């Protein structure tokens, strides 16, 4: 089973509406979608700590999860481990995608794209869109999500995206951060 979960920090549905990324807009009409709701954990590190709960990077690997660029440490945890303060969004996407290609089929690839939230331009979103489309073309199952959206005035939007081959837990409710990892663990089973 070729599966991946990719978190894109700072991407909300408002970004999709403003920039009209071709692939992500296609997914809106073709896969399960929902809204990730999160008011309290709006930095990459705090969001991932909440998503992982008591699971460590070593625990992820024991469960056939392949962590990539998880922003718990500097440089990031997993494969690749990147110093994201010294690179561009394009360089981050290329490094994560290169490792994704190498690890394809060895477990569920779990990656974080951290630099989009610093960019948030349509050009940046189109870069993300292109790399997600390349990933999707070789996957059996996936979750593309964001734990919070873009800037909403002076604060970040508490609403992020959820696009997946898996239905969300409760159709009429938003997805909480602690619900994401159980979904990721189920990705490789279908």
């Amino acid at each position: 089973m070729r599966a991946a979960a990719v978190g894109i920090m700072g991407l909300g549905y408002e970004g999709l509406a403003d920039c009209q990324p071709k692939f992500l807009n296609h997914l809106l009409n073709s896969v399960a979608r929902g809204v990730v709701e999160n008011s309290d954990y709006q930095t990459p590190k705090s969001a991932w700590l909440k998503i992982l709960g008591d699971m460590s990077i070593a625990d992820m690997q024991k469960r056939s999860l392949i962590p990539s660029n998880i922003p718990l440490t500097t440089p990031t945890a997993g494969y690749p481990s990147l110093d994201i303060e010294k690179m561009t969004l394009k360089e981050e996407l290329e490094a994560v995608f290169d490792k994704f290609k190498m690890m394809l089929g060895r477990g569920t690839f779990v990656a974080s794209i951290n630099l989009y939230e610093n960019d948030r331009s349509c050009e940046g979103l189109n870069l993300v869109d292109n790399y997600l489309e390349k990933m999707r073309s070789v996957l059996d199952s996936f979750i593309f999500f964001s734990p919070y959206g873009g800037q909403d005035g002076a604060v970040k939007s508490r609403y992020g995206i959820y696009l997946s081959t898996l239905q969300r837990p409760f159709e009429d409710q938003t997805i909480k951060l602690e619900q994401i990892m159980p979904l990721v663990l189920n990705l490789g089973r279908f």
Side-chain angles (χ1 to χ4, degrees), residues 45-77:
K45 181 177 181 176
S46 66
W48 274 101
L49 285 170
K50 186 67 174 173
I51 290 165
L52 293 173
D54 59 1
M55 187 182 296
S56 68
I57 295 296
D59 293 335
M60 290 179 75
Q61 293 166 324
K62 288 175 190 168
R63 298 183 127 187
S64 297
L65 301 178
I66 302 164
S68 178
N69 198 34
I70 308 295
L72 302 178
T73 56
T74 303
T76 58

Side-chain angles (χ1 to χ4, degrees), residues 16-17 19-30 129 163:
L16 301 183
C19 297
Q20 294 296 309
K22 185 179 137 198
F23 175 65
L24 287 169
N25 276 336
H26 163 73
L27 288 182
L28 282 173
N29 297 312
S30 60
D129 191 59
L163 298 167

Side-chain angles (χ1 to χ4, degrees), residues 83-100:
D83 187 345
I84 55 176
E85 299 196 5
K86 297 182 179 175
M87 62 187 354
T88 65
L89 173 61
K90 185 172 188 346
E91 291 168 331
E92 180 189 34
L93 288 164
E94 287 173 351
V96 170
F97 186 71
D98 286 346
K99 187 55 73 172
F100 165 76

Side-chain angles (χ1 to χ4, degrees), residues 6-152:
V6 181
I8 305 103
M9 303 302 111
L11 177 59
Y13 285 105
E14 69 280 351
L16 301 183
D18 294 343
C19 297
Q20 294 296 309
K22 185 179 137 198
F23 175 65
L24 287 169
N25 276 336
H26 163 73
L27 288 182
L28 282 173
N29 297 312
S30 60
V31 299
R33 66 180 187 263
V35 175
V36 177
E37 183 178 6
N38 162 24
S39 301
D40 301 320
Y41 306 95
Q42 296 189 337
T43 65
K45 181 177 181 176
S46 66
W48 274 101
L49 285 170
K50 186 67 174 173
I51 290 165
L52 293 173
D54 59 1
M55 187 182 296
S56 68
I57 295 296
D59 293 335
M60 290 179 75
Q61 293 166 324
K62 288 175 190 168
R63 298 183 127 187
S64 297
L65 301 178
I66 302 164
S68 178
N69 198 34
I70 308 295
L72 302 178
T73 56
T74 303
T76 58
Y79 314 100
S81 174
L82 302 172
D83 187 345
I84 55 176
E85 299 196 5
K86 297 182 179 175
M87 62 187 354
T88 65
L89 173 61
K90 185 172 188 346
E91 291 168 331
E92 180 189 34
L93 288 164
E94 287 173 351
V96 170
F97 186 71
D98 286 346
K99 187 55 73 172
F100 165 76
K101 287 189 300 186
M102 285 177 54
M103 304 305 283
L104 187 62
R106 297 185 189 178
T108 300
F109 192 77
V110 181
S112 184
I113 303 303
N114 306 301
L115 293 176
Y116 172 72
E117 79 171 317
N118 298 339
D119 182 305
R120 290 195 333 270
S121 67
C122 288
E123 182 181 341
L125 182 52
N126 284 325
L127 267 176
V128 171
D129 191 59
N130 289 336
Y131 279 93
L132 292 177
E133 184 174 20
K134 286 185 209 176
M135 291 177 116
R136 171 63 184 119
S137 71
V138 294
L139 290 170
D140 298 310
S141 59
F142 68 89
I143 297 172
F144 298 148
F145 73 96
S146 54
Y148 49 85
Q151 287 295 123
D152 185 12

